[in-house]
Amino acid sequence: MPSYTAGGEHPIPVLLRASDPLSEAGARSLLSDQREITLTADGARHGTVPLLLANSADDEMVTQWCATASADSPRAVLVTGTLRQVGLPNIAAGGIAAVVYRHEATGLRLVRAVTAVAHGEGDLPPDLVRALMDQVSDLLPQAGPGPSSRPAGLTSREVSILRGVADGEKTGEIAVRLGYSERTVKRDLHDLKKRLHLRNNAHAVAYAMRASYA
C-alpha cells in the first residue's frame, strides 16, 4: 500500500466533482502545479480523495453525494462558498471529512485538506469546529447511569469520550479527565466506530448529535 506524504514519492490521486464547469476549470488551474497530488478520472483508484466543488453545501451535487455515501465510500473534501452550520452533522455523516471555503481555496490550502483526508484525518475551518463544539454541548446529554441519559447505541462512557473529541481534546487528555488509560479510550473509540459503521471521529460525533434528537 503506498504511503501518501506531502512531497513524497506517491502523489495523492484526486477526483474532481464540480457543480459547474467554471469551478472545475479553476480547481484544475490551482492544482496543476501541485506535486503532492495528481488529478485522476478513476474514482475506483486506490487512495483516491474526491474533491467536491460547489457554491453551497446545499447544491444538488453535494446532497446527492452525501445521500449515496456508504461506509466503504472514500472520504471527500468539500470546497464551498457557504455552509449552514446546522448542516454540519449531515455532511460529516455523508463522508465529508474536510471543508475549505472558496475564498480560502488556494492550491496549497487544497493540498493540505486533501493530504489530511488521505491520512485519515479531518480539516475544518475554525468557525465550523466551534459550531460543532457548541452543538455537541447543546445536544449531547450529560452522561449518567440511566439509559435515557445517552443517545441510542452509545454507552455513557462513549458519550463522554465523544464530548471530549468534539471539544478538541487529545485521547490522552480524555483519558486523564475520565480516569481511564489512553489505550482504553482509543479502544472505545475504535469499537464504537466499528460497531456503528462510522467512518471517523467526526462521523461518530455527528451520529451522537443526530441520535440525540430522537
Side-chain angles (χ1 to χ4, degrees), residues 24-193:
E24 180 172 352
R28 288 187 181 278
S29 176
L30 287 174
L31 297 173
S32 61
D33 60 349
Q34 301 297 326
R35 296 183 178 180
E36 294 86 353
I37 66 97
T38 182
L39 298 179
T40 180
D42 182 6
R45 182 176 173 182
H46 176 75
T48 296
V49 175
L51 180 60
L52 312 181
L53 307 156
N55 291 318
S56 166
D58 295 324
D59 282 4
E60 183 179 1
M61 183 266 294
V62 179
T63 56
Q64 286 185 350
W65 178 277
C66 293
T68 58
S70 68
D72 297 326
S73 300
R75 299 193 307 153
V77 176
L78 172 63
V79 180
T80 180
T82 60
L83 170 60
R84 294 180 300 112
Q85 293 178 351
V86 294
L88 187 56
N90 291 330
I91 67 168
I96 305 296
V99 175
V100 178
Y101 289 128
R102 291 177 74 103
H103 68 274
E104 298 176 345
T106 63
L108 290 176
R109 180 67 185 88
L110 293 179
V111 168
R112 190 181 86 188
V114 166
T115 302
V117 173
H119 290 169
E121 301 169 355
D123 188 350
L124 295 177
D127 66 311
L128 295 186
V129 175
R130 288 193 297 270
L132 182 61
M133 291 167 56
D134 291 343
Q135 290 182 48
V136 169
S137 297
D138 292 340
L139 295 176
L140 283 185
Q142 296 298 316
S148 62
S149 65
R150 55 182 180 265
L154 297 175
T155 68
S156 296
R157 187 164 79 188
E158 288 169 344
V159 170
S160 296
I161 290 173
L162 288 178
R163 183 176 290 110
V165 170
D167 286 342
E169 292 181 337
K170 299 182 182 300
T171 52
E173 295 171 329
I174 296 173
V176 170
R177 175 170 57 82
L178 298 181
Y180 298 109
S181 69
E182 185 174 3
R183 178 178 295 181
T184 296
V185 172
K186 288 182 177 179
R187 184 197 65 205
D188 284 355
L189 271 172
H190 176 270
D191 288 350
L192 80 89
K193 286 183 288 188

